[in-house]
Amino acid sequence: MTANGAAERFDVVIVGGGPGGSMLAMDLRRAGLSVLIVERQTFPRYHIGESLTGMAGEMLRELGLAEEMRRRQFPPKGGVKVIGKDAKSEFFVPVLAPTWQVRRNEFDAILLEKALEAGAVHRVGTARDVIRDGDKVVGLEYSPADAPAQRCTVQCHFTADASGLGVFFSRIGLAGRRTLFDFARQVAVFTQYRNARRDPGEMGLNTFIFYNQTYEWAWFIPIAPDVVSIGIVVPVDRLHACGNDPVSLMEWGLEHINPDLRERVAGCDRIELVRSIADYSYDIQPYAGDGWLCIGDAHRFIDPIFSFGVSLAMTEARAAARTIVAILTGADWQEALSSYVAYCDRGQNVAVDILRFFWQFPMFFGFQIRGRHRKDFIRLLGSDLYTPETNALVKLIREQLRQATHVGGAV
Ligand SMILES: Cc1cc2nc3c(=O)[nH]c(=O)nc-3n(C[C@H](O)[C@H](O)[C@H](O)COP(=O)(O)OP(=O)(O)OC[C@H]3O[C@@H](n4cnc5c(N)ncnc54)[C@H](O)[C@@H]3O)c2cc1C
């Protein structure tokens, strides 16, 4: 409400000011629309998800942020090294395009700031519900952070959910319910260490993935000159075996996931809390309707191993902006939204298939990166996922998944 009691009006209201929400706000402002971002946390705030793909790097350069990324000393990422069980094998996948490892608290604040510079308005508050006119969403109710019992009303032509794992539209029953993926029974515990041993030179700036067995792995991501982010991902039973204690699970992982990881971290100081996330792998259908849509984690998150999350959220934000602009300038909303959903599903479904395939045939990946599909493989891991018809490796992976389902039952 404004001071005289009338509801405020914006063309578009966005719930969540993470990379997806900020990117969407920037593109909508470029098209001349008025935009409100309602974000419940005060930035900078902690967030997991520090390694960016080549496609994310491209988008950041398009936003004119390359110099800022250098100024902040975000480590330039040249690729991902995957170290096999017992450190007996390894392969390296170079990035599709130059990109960075980021400290998400700073990175997300840079993007939000850029959206505000572009003219978006930002309120710190928690979205509570949408306002409907029949089946159409025509506004949002939120509680300001400094008056949590109060409800403010904003009217708008379109509302976007970019609330990440908060899955706001799903929680209020507007979008569908979360369906858990089979990747879902995992838990991730993560923290930061000072002076962990890296490879010399530029290789020491890359992401390292330590594989142990199916669904059991660790990440090692340099996020500052002397700091690495380390995460242990395991089936949730392992957490139970560690007394449901994230610190014990972290210690177990450093000791048992891979001998190479153990040596790199031995004797180093942990400088952050050990945090944990479980049940983070889900799909929500439907995720768009009259006057509303979801982007990024607000409708799907699969598996963190290939660091697709930020890139997918930003790519979907761009598609969402084109869709919203088209609808607000007269396009048929049903057609526009079904094209948006088809586009997002196309990319996300490729990601699901690669991930399923990796967990079933991890050695195949090491083999292919040296083989004739090398270029296609680099494209996929760079999160170039939206034109599968131009990527022969996608065809091969899907054919092999089909055969495996046929021969061995459910994949
Ligand atoms: C263990 C793990 C490791 C990961 N590692 C990587 C990685 O290395 N690289 C990568 O790219 N991705 C990674 N990801 C995924 C990445 O974190 C997400 O995909 C990415 O942050 C999605 O961006 P988003 O904008 O959709 O949501 P978010 O970045 O989560 O932003 C959502 C925002 O919405 C706000 N919000 C939520 N509810 C409300 C509400 N009701 N009202 C107002 N505001 C609200 C939140 O405060 C938040 O700021 C990882 C994920 C996990 C689980």
Side-chain angles (χ1 to χ4, degrees):
M1 296 274 186
T2 58
N4 63 9
E8 278 191 289
R9 281 195 156 275
F10 287 86
D11 290 319
V12 183
V13 174
I14 301 170
V15 179
S22 293
M23 189 79 181
L24 175 59
M26 284 182 241
D27 279 3
L28 292 172
R29 283 298 304 143
R30 214 166 289 133
L33 299 179
S34 60
V35 180
L36 172 69
I37 300 174
V38 176
E39 163 57 57
R40 70 179 169 195
Q41 289 188 270
T42 304
F43 280 28
R45 54 96 175 89
Y46 181 87
H47 204 294
I48 194 58
E50 298 128 329
S51 189
L52 302 184
T53 64
M55 291 295 272
E58 281 292 310
M59 286 184 269
L60 293 170
R61 271 183 293 282
E62 279 167 32
L63 291 174
L65 283 172
E67 187 46 42
E68 182 65 9
M69 301 297 280
R70 271 189 287 275
R71 199 181 69 74
R72 300 274 183 151
Q73 293 193 311
F74 289 135
K77 172 183 167 186
V80 181
K81 195 195 248 191
V82 180
I83 296 157
K85 186 166 179 61
D86 297 327
K88 286 187 178 143
S89 62
E90 63 180 48
F91 62 89
F92 180 73
V93 188
V95 287
L96 178 63
T99 190
W100 293 272
Q101 321 278 20
V102 295
R103 299 175 291 282
R104 282 289 299 272
N105 54 349
E106 281 178 60
F107 175 71
D108 288 17
I110 292 170
L111 290 184
L112 182 60
E113 192 53 42
K114 190 95 183 153
L116 303 190
E117 273 171 24
V121 175
H122 169 215
R123 299 271 154 72
V124 185
T126 301
R128 299 289 183 202
D129 207 346
V130 289
I131 302 166
R132 300 169 206 239
D133 179 2
D135 286 339
K136 187 176 164 74
V137 170
V138 294
L140 184 83
E141 277 181 15
Y142 71 95
S143 299
D146 55 2
Q150 198 181 317
R151 293 252 176 157
C152 294
T153 306
V154 191
Q155 288 180 342
C156 59
H157 298 297
F158 212 94
T159 312
D161 182 7
S163 66
L165 300 183
V167 295
F168 171 63
F169 280 176
S170 172
R171 267 194 309 104
I172 61 168
L174 180 63
R177 293 162 76 104
R178 288 185 348 146
T179 306
L180 292 184
F181 274 118
D182 42 355
F183 308 99
R185 316 277 169 219
Q186 299 169 62
V187 58
V189 291
F190 38 93
T191 185
Q192 296 171 5
Y193 286 84
R194 196 179 298 288
N195 296 329
R197 277 170 283 287
R198 301 184 188 179
D199 278 15
E202 287 181 357
M203 185 54 87
L205 303 175
N206 294 325
T207 298
F208 282 40
I209 287 175
F210 296 93
Y211 177 88
N212 188 29
Q213 59 188 26
T214 309
Y215 298 147
E216 209 163 271
W217 60 282
W219 75 71
F220 182 101
I221 301 173
I223 54 170
D226 58 347
V227 178
V228 291
S229 158
I230 298 183
I232 306 290
V233 186
V234 289
V236 74
D237 291 350
R238 185 73 76 189
L239 177 64
H240 302 326
C242 290
N244 290 322
D245 175 21
V247 177
S248 302
L249 178 56
M250 191 79 212
E251 285 163 1
W252 178 92
L254 294 179
E255 189 60 30
H256 294 100
I257 289 273
N258 196 290
D260 188 348
L261 175 64
R262 182 170 59 226
E263 280 162 28
R264 286 173 192 272
V265 187
C268 294
D269 293 331
R270 173 158 69 77
I271 56 166
E272 252 279 351
L273 294 173
V274 177
R275 300 169 203 256
S276 66
I277 302 189
D279 281 347
Y280 48 70
S281 181
Y282 54 82
D283 180 38
I284 288 168
Q285 300 280 350
Y287 59 93
D290 196 359
W292 63 276
L293 56 71
C294 303
I295 63 172
D297 287 11
H299 73 94
R300 197 190 276 200
F301 185 73
I302 312 163
D303 183 303
I305 193 161
F306 295 139
S307 302
F308 288 149
V310 169
S311 176
L312 290 182
M314 289 169 71
T315 306
E316 291 187 0
R318 303 222 107 159
R322 291 191 294 273
T323 305
I324 294 169
V325 171
I327 292 171
L328 298 196
T329 51
D332 179 279
W333 67 266
Q334 280 166 315
E335 271 175 33
L337 287 178
S338 69
S339 301
Y340 169 73
V341 167
Y343 175 81
C344 297
D345 285 354
R346 190 160 62 240
Q348 296 260 7
N349 289 344
V350 172
V352 171
D353 287 343
I354 307 169
L355 286 157
R356 271 196 211 296
F357 197 75
F358 174 76
W359 286 120
Q360 257 208 326
F361 307 106
M363 297 316 292
F364 175 92
F365 272 58
F367 178 68
Q368 277 307 334
I369 192 62
R370 297 179 189 100
R372 73 191 163 95
H373 290 299
R374 179 179 168 80
K375 254 172 97 179
D376 286 339
F377 190 69
I378 293 168
R379 277 181 62 197
L380 289 182
L381 264 62
S383 72
D384 177 357
L385 305 168
Y386 292 84
T387 49
E389 64 286 356
T390 66
N391 192 314
L393 188 58
V394 175
K395 207 168 156 210
L396 184 72
I397 284 175
R398 287 186 161 160
E399 185 49 40
Q400 303 239 343
L401 282 172
R402 245 191 311 275
Q403 284 176 19
T405 313
H406 202 61
V407 175
V411 178

